């Protein structure tokens, strides 16, 4: 049997508890932060030229793809895609309330 260990008195236990303190408080992380992008709300001449040159060549055309490529506002990209679809430069694949998906016009409506 191991030898008995002398127990501390109540005063010694309280003094040890008070001396320890709480330590440092946990610091909460600030979370992940993204850089705020300043997209244009009006299209410049160069952006308009790029829109008419590059967008009809893309296989999958969405509003977010146009926003990333041309650095324009989402509403402006939606409007531009709608106008290009009316002109016949691109063809709508799926248009729902939330998402519009277009594709390039290949063969000028051969399938219909």
């Amino acid at each position: 049997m191991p030898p008995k260990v002398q127990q501390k008195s109540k005063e010694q236990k309280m003094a040890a508890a008070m001396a320890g303190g709480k330590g440092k408080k946990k610091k909460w992380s600030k979370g992940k932060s993204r850089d705020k992008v300043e997209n244009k709300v009006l299209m410049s001449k160069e952006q308009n030229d790029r829109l008419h040159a590059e967008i009809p060549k893309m296989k999958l055309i969405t509003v977010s793809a146009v926003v990333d490529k041309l650095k324009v506002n989402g509403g402006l990209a939606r409007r531009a895609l709608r106008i290009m679809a009316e002109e016949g430069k691109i063809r709508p694949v799926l248009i729902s309330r939330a998402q519009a998906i277009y594709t390039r016009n290949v063969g000028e409506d051969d399938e219909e």
Side-chain angles (χ1 to χ4, degrees):
M1 205 166 158
K4 278 197 159 190
V5 180
Q6 179 98 20
Q7 277 198 328
K8 295 180 181 176
S9 67
K10 283 188 177 181
E11 289 82 25
Q12 287 174 332
K13 286 182 183 177
M14 195 183 326
M18 296 299 280
K22 278 194 170 182
K24 293 195 174 189
K25 280 197 167 191
K26 180 181 185 316
K27 294 212 170 134
W28 293 95
S29 65
K30 301 288 187 270
K32 293 184 181 177
S33 60
R34 266 186 74 207
D35 295 333
K36 185 111 172 91
V37 250
E38 296 293 329
N39 288 337
K40 305 275 190 295
V41 292
L42 293 174
M43 210 175 274
S44 65
K45 177 89 172 92
E46 297 84 33
Q47 285 172 322
N48 195 29
D49 294 341
R50 279 186 64 201
L51 174 83
H52 289 287
E54 294 178 16
I55 301 303
K57 295 175 185 169
M58 292 168 60
K59 279 186 181 177
L60 176 70
I61 305 166
T62 60
V63 173
S64 58
V66 175
V67 166
D68 287 342
K69 201 177 247 316
L70 298 179
K71 303 287 183 248
V72 292
N73 196 327
L76 189 61
R78 271 195 300 274
R79 192 72 169 270
L81 290 178
R82 207 174 302 133
I83 290 170
M84 289 181 79
E86 288 171 5
E87 291 173 356
K89 293 184 178 180
I90 59 177
R91 186 175 47 185
V93 175
L94 170 108
I95 297 179
S96 71
R97 181 186 61 80
Q99 179 81 32
I101 299 174
Y102 299 89
T103 188
R104 59 187 176 194
N105 222 347
V106 182
E108 268 38 68
D109 299 330
D110 283 344
E111 294 129 31
E112 294 180 26

